[in-house]
Amino acid sequence: MKTVKVLAALAAIVAMPAIAADGWAGSAELGFSNTTGNSKDRTLNARLDIDYAQDRWRHNFFGDVYYAEADSNKTAERYVLGYKPSYFLTDRDYVFATVRYDRDKFADIKHRWTEVIGYGRQLINTPDAYLEAEIGAGARQTDYVLNPNNLDTSEAILYTGGRFTYRISDSARFLQTLRIEWGKDNTYTESVTGVQLRVTNAVSAKVTHTIRHNSDIVGVRGKKTDQITGVNLVYSF
């Protein structure tokens, strides 16, 4: 029931008309597949990304959902919510803070809160290409599903990340994001590589390959690396 409600809410977001508002911009993504016959498989991949810019401030609100079933058995369930305010010191340099909530039981994460403060710079910002890099430090609090090795549930972390986009043509863009968090017991890495193809001014198709790696997961606690390939409909507003 929870999954159905999430799917309905995200579908409504993707379908809603754009509302013009100064300073607001964003996108909603939705990918869903349902296979019946000899096997019954169902997957949902959705994301919401909203920015609000005012003077030197930029506020980013984000969230994503990934859910999968195989023959009525749940094989993946992940939720992410976050908020990231940034303050620009110059046209390209900024300081930021991030608060992020993760839940991914199949990666042994029942609940995880991450807080980071840091510095970022737009290394390239042209009509054809954009590149930003960030460094920071913070803390992470994790409630593990299984914790036989008595890993720290609260730890300090170092963070580095970046985002790159490149316009291949008038209707196609290459996308790459990277996030790495170093902790004493666990290093978390997330890489998202994609291509976005514009269908109309507001609607695009997006193909992505996501790799998530937790260094501390071993044995019965699951696999260290998850890989997800998704095809999503993107609505920009």
Side-chain angles (χ1 to χ4, degrees), residues 9-222:
L10 288 168
I13 291 172
V14 173
M16 70 181 181
I19 300 176
D22 291 342
W24 290 94
S27 63
E29 303 179 21
L30 179 63
F32 181 72
S33 67
N34 186 42
T35 303
T36 60
N38 292 325
S39 63
K40 297 180 180 180
D41 300 324
R42 180 181 302 170
T43 62
L44 165 69
N45 186 14
R47 179 173 175 80
L48 183 65
D49 196 336
I50 299 175
D51 284 315
Y52 176 68
Q54 185 178 40
D55 299 326
R56 291 182 175 270
W57 285 96
R58 182 178 67 190
H59 302 270
N60 176 238
F61 306 88
F62 59 91
D64 67 66
V65 175
Y66 180 70
Y67 180 87
E69 287 183 359
D71 293 326
S72 299
N73 294 314
K74 189 186 302 182
T75 57
E77 184 180 9
R78 182 174 189 265
Y79 305 96
V80 175
L81 287 172
Y83 168 56
K84 177 184 176 183
S86 302
Y87 181 80
F88 278 77
L89 304 171
T90 69
D91 290 342
R92 294 200 173 192
D93 301 274
Y94 60 92
V95 291
F96 70 91
T98 302
V99 178
R100 180 186 180 102
Y101 171 78
D102 292 78
R103 180 179 181 182
D104 188 348
K105 290 186 178 182
F106 287 82
D108 196 43
I109 300 168
K110 188 175 182 180
H111 303 287
R112 170 175 285 169
W113 286 94
T114 306
E115 307 88 23
V116 173
I117 57 174
Y119 161 80
R121 178 171 172 81
Q122 297 176 348
L123 301 173
I124 301 173
N125 190 356
T126 70
D128 291 330
Y130 178 86
L131 174 64
E132 69 178 20
E134 297 178 340
I135 57 172
R140 180 169 60 202
Q141 304 84 42
T142 306
D143 183 6
Y144 292 101
V145 177
L146 297 170
N147 193 8
N149 299 323
N150 294 318
L151 301 172
D152 285 343
T153 57
S154 181
E155 58 183 332
I157 61 171
L158 296 175
Y159 159 83
T160 185
R163 180 163 62 101
F164 174 68
T165 65
Y166 179 74
R167 188 175 69 172
I168 302 171
S169 67
D170 289 341
S171 60
R173 288 192 305 154
F174 172 80
L175 313 167
Q176 176 68 54
T177 63
L178 178 66
R179 179 165 66 98
I180 305 174
E181 298 171 359
W182 287 277
K184 186 182 74 171
D185 284 335
N186 179 51
T187 296
Y188 176 75
T189 304
E190 181 181 80
S191 170
V192 181
T193 305
V195 175
Q196 186 166 328
L197 305 173
R198 181 164 54 86
V199 179
T200 69
N201 288 336
V203 178
S204 303
K206 186 177 180 181
V207 181
T208 60
H209 184 69
T210 302
I211 300 174
R212 300 187 183 108
H213 180 82
N214 284 280
S215 65
D216 70 285
I217 296 179
V218 293
V220 295
R221 298 177 60 224

